Amino acid sequence: MKTYNFSAGPGVMPEEVITTIKQEFENNERSHMSIVEISHRSKKFQNIIISAEQKLRQLMQIPDDYAVVFLQGGGSMQFEMMPLNFATQHQNIAVLDSGNFSKKAEEAARQIGKNTTILASTKDQHYQKLPTLPSNFDASAFDYLHIVTNSTIEGAAFHQANLPQTSGRLIADMSSNILAEPYNVSDFDAIFAGGQKNLGPAGVTVAIIKKSWLAEQDLTGVGPMMRYQNHIDKQSMYNTSPVFSVYALDLVLSWVIEQGGVAEMHRQNLEKSGKLYAYLDQSDFYTAPVEKTARSLTNIVFTTGNLERDKAIAQQAEAAGLFNLAGHRSVGGFRASLYNAQPAAAVDALIAFLQKVEQNA
Amino acid sequence: MKTYNFSAGPGVMPEEVITTIKQEFENNERSHMSIVEISHRSKKFQNIIISAEQKLRQLMQIPDDYAVVFLQGGGSMQFEMMPLNFATQHQNIAVLDSGNFSKKAEEAARQIGKNTTILASTKDQHYQKLPTLPSNFDASAFDYLHIVTNSTIEGAAFHQANLPQTSGRLIADMSSNILAEPYNVSDFDAIFAGGQKNLGPAGVTVAIIKKSWLAEQDLTGVGPMMRYQNHIDKQSMYNTSPVFSVYALDLVLSWVIEQGGVAEMHRQNLEKSGKLYAYLDQSDFYTAPVEKTARSLTNIVFTTGNLERDKAIAQQAEAAGLFNLAGHRSVGGFRASLYNAQPAAAVDALIAFLQKVEQNA
């Protein structure tokens, strides 16, 4: 039976990438020189990490004033590194709370001694709408504004067209929709993304840093591993890179380029998610509760309105080869993650399954 | 041609482990559910991470008062996490400087605002001896003493028999000889090791933490990802684990158990390194400069006394299938890393090659 994996991450990777990884281990089964056994300073790996940076630059059209670094620790580590490196003047960051990961970032900044202000939150609306930047927002009182472009758990997204317009600095957590839709990098002062959703396996995190802004910071007391500048100066080799994860990331980036880049991914993602939302919207049985203009292309959240029933249906889906459809444990319901590597056939299979359940209900 | 990889890390892993990894990708080439695509919260991965912890506990006979966590960021991140979590009372750590990585740890602690004292250093002897704890050392003035059990670059080791005897707390960086020889965990208050030497691939770091000591700390201002307690409370799943690296680590731990555990690894490592040291010591052409009682079992450092010639010979070795024999770029010469997974045949091939060079010199 064909199986599909709707995990919110780590999640599905392109089949071609999995085949290449398999071949790497096949070819090096007895050489003692497979990708997990070579030095991060070997030529083979140096070429990989340089190539990965170049491909990401190409795919996102990253301007020269931005550095790209591959780090460890996931988005959660960025919740600390960003304020440590950039909340140095006012010691104060502004947050638009559009979901669980906005709150986590805000809490982490507070815990390391920064002041934080939640400018607006849609928590009371279960994050089914996007928070709006207050018209009286005074950017000059803050080091930066923090946003999450795509709320992995709740399924709302700031697309390029509805980004908050701030006169100040803007940092975005793009963990769950980087490369899924286009963003103008120059609209941001820093961007980060954990690898395990749209970029590759867990274990590598991408940070894109405006160098001229970083140069203004006083980093007294910040440890060497927490300083972006150290990683930039050593081209992401300040210490041992997570070699396998960067290798797999590089393969995924090649695959995205071969597919036609972010524009083509965006087209496919609009099509995949559009098909699913259209089905859910016409259904009397399921509801997709996120406001239409704010809907995520990558994490499609829906429910029958009965969390116990949702759970049973998600369980039942596994027998049909459809895995990991349960919503995040904090919210329940369903979540179908349609990252770049998710084939269109997965959406068709999902809709067919949901229809059958609806008909039998 | 048979190839051998003497890289100091990431380095050779057991052939059986590489085969298992290959099979994992073979079996899941079309399932969208390979080890790099499954959620860190999936049952499959939960079982892996729990099993890895149990195996490490078994192998090192870790007492119940010690927590085991799997983290990211390598030893370098531990250079910051350890002082952040444990240098909280005196804000002062003592260091025995036995090589490059002792200095790095000391510098990182200083950079985050802690006081540091280098009690003794063998830098002037090119780290070919071990520093000795001064007889007037007053442990009560420091939060802890930091040591590196095995200097990966310079090749000197504090074996269990020559550990410094302190009445205070002791933290050890065991990155390059964990599981290569036995240590009494209860002689330490915390231990850490980057994965990419004796444990598996890069991208995972092990920390072993005395819980009762951690409970005494005031961690105001320390970020959530930098607190061991958060990782302990969530069984290393505070955020997304580096799934592949933990998976491969678990396979390596199984392999070590199958081989006969740390005692058997130690026996093999004594044999492998002993054979190489014996050859080098009897040779008039090569010198192993590290003092005999302090010699590393895992990183065997030697030279012909002429760094240019060493470089040429290391290059020549590649043609004979012997890779990564050049010493670290900071010291030159040769370094043959003989981690657990290094087969005895690699040492025989190396000695045969070195003999041939010597005969033709």
Side-chain angles (χ1 to χ4, degrees), chain B residues 172-321:
Chain B
D173 174 357
M174 290 195 183
S175 290
S176 53
N177 74 341
I178 190 169
L179 301 187
E181 56 188 290
Y183 287 101
N184 298 333
V185 172
S186 54
D187 288 352
F188 305 88
D189 299 279
I191 292 169
F192 65 88
Q196 68 275 5
K197 297 178 192 297
N198 230 359
L199 292 175
V204 60
T205 310
V206 169
I208 302 169
I209 304 289
K210 190 165 196 171
K211 289 187 275 185
S212 52
W213 186 33
L214 183 59
E216 295 170 14
Q217 311 299 324
D218 173 7
L219 300 185
T220 310
V222 177
M225 278 290 284
M226 302 301 268
R227 293 174 181 233
Y228 292 112
Q229 195 62 57
N230 285 341
H231 298 282
I232 294 168
D233 289 346
K234 301 284 186 173
Q235 279 130 336
S236 301
M237 307 284 276
Y238 178 73
N239 73 328
T240 308
S241 283
V243 173
F244 176 84
S245 297
V246 174
Y247 156 77
L249 163 67
D250 178 59
L251 295 177
V252 171
L253 296 177
S254 294
W255 179 86
V256 175
I257 290 171
E258 282 158 23
Q259 300 306 300
V262 176
E264 172 60 17
M265 291 290 105
H266 187 215
R267 192 196 64 73
Q268 291 182 18
N269 292 333
L270 282 171
E271 196 170 290
K272 289 184 293 182
S273 62
K275 210 165 180 179
L276 181 53
Y277 282 125
Y279 166 70
L280 297 168
D281 285 343
Q282 63 74 43
S283 162
D284 294 330
F285 190 60
Y286 305 102
T287 317
V290 176
E291 194 174 42
K292 284 191 182 180
T293 55
R295 281 177 173 176
S296 169
L297 307 185
T298 46
N299 305 103
I300 286 73
V301 167
F302 57 101
T303 177
T304 66
N306 175 333
L307 294 184
E308 281 308 307
R309 181 168 56 187
D310 291 353
K311 216 170 161 176
I313 296 171
Q315 192 62 46
Q316 203 183 323
E318 295 194 4

Side-chain angles (χ1 to χ4, degrees), chain B residues 41-112:
Chain B
R41 309 230 177 254
S42 63
K43 266 196 202 114
K44 179 171 169 177
F45 184 67
Q46 294 280 340
N47 288 340
I48 288 170
I49 200 164
I50 289 167
S51 134
E53 178 183 337
Q54 284 169 344
K55 287 171 194 159
L56 193 67
R57 286 188 172 281
Q58 174 188 340
L59 283 165
M60 295 183 74
Q61 297 172 41
I62 299 173
D64 285 346
D65 186 28
Y66 291 76
V68 173
V69 282
F70 302 109
L71 306 170
Q72 294 187 60
S76 296
M77 192 59 94
Q78 296 309 301
F79 299 165
E80 298 175 36
M81 283 182 77
M82 286 290 168
L84 280 173
N85 283 269
F86 292 116
T88 68
Q89 193 183 349
H90 305 284
Q91 305 281 329
N92 197 6
I93 74 170
V95 175
L96 282 177
D97 176 27
S98 62
N100 179 63
F101 290 109
S102 327
K103 277 295 290 176
K104 288 241 171 169
E106 186 267 329
E107 285 162 13
R110 210 153 18 89
Q111 206 166 330
I112 59 171

Side-chain angles (χ1 to χ4, degrees), chain A residues 307-322:
Chain A
L307 294 183
E308 280 308 305
R309 180 166 59 187
D310 292 353
K311 217 170 162 179
I313 296 171
Q315 193 61 46
Q316 202 182 324
E318 295 195 3
L322 307 173

Side-chain angles (χ1 to χ4, degrees), chain A residues 2-5 7 9-13 15 18-19 21-22 25-26 28-34 36-41 72-74 76-77 80 108 111-112 196 201-203 221-227 239-244 323-324 329 343, chain B residues 2-5 7 9-13 15 18-19 21-22 25-26 28-34 36-41 72-74 76-77 80 108 111-112 196 201-203 221-227 239-244 323-324 329 343:
Chain A
K2 191 79 197 156
T3 56
Y4 293 108
N5 178 4
S7 171
V12 60
M13 285 171 54
E15 280 188 21
I18 301 298
T19 299
I21 295 172
K22 180 201 72 174
F25 287 105
E26 243 170 37
N28 289 290
E29 194 173 354
R30 300 268 172 267
S31 73
H32 302 116
M33 301 280 275
S34 72
V36 293
E37 299 170 285
I38 57 167
S39 170
H40 55 299
R41 309 227 177 257
Q72 295 186 62
S76 297
M77 193 59 97
E80 299 176 35
Q111 204 165 334
I112 61 172
Q196 68 275 7
V222 178
M225 278 291 282
M226 301 302 267
R227 293 175 181 233
N239 73 328
T240 307
S241 283
V243 174
F244 176 84
F323 287 88
N324 303 315
R329 60 197 184 287
Chain B
K2 191 76 198 159
T3 56
Y4 293 108
N5 178 5
S7 171
V12 60
M13 284 170 53
E15 280 189 20
I18 303 297
T19 299
I21 295 173
K22 181 201 73 172
F25 287 105
E26 245 170 35
N28 288 289
E29 195 173 355
R30 300 271 172 266
S31 74
H32 302 115
M33 301 280 277
S34 73
V36 293
E37 299 169 285
I38 56 167
S39 170
H40 56 299
R41 309 230 177 254
Q72 294 187 60
S76 296
M77 192 59 94
E80 298 175 36
Q111 206 166 330
I112 59 171
Q196 68 275 5
V222 177
M225 278 290 284
M226 302 301 268
R227 293 174 181 233
N239 73 328
T240 308
S241 283
V243 173
F244 176 84
F323 287 88
N324 303 314
R329 62 198 184 288

Side-chain angles (χ1 to χ4, degrees), chain A residues 84-103:
Chain A
L84 280 172
N85 282 268
F86 292 116
T88 68
Q89 194 182 348
H90 305 286
Q91 306 280 329
N92 197 4
I93 73 170
V95 175
L96 281 177
D97 176 26
S98 62
N100 179 63
F101 290 111
S102 328
K103 275 297 290 176

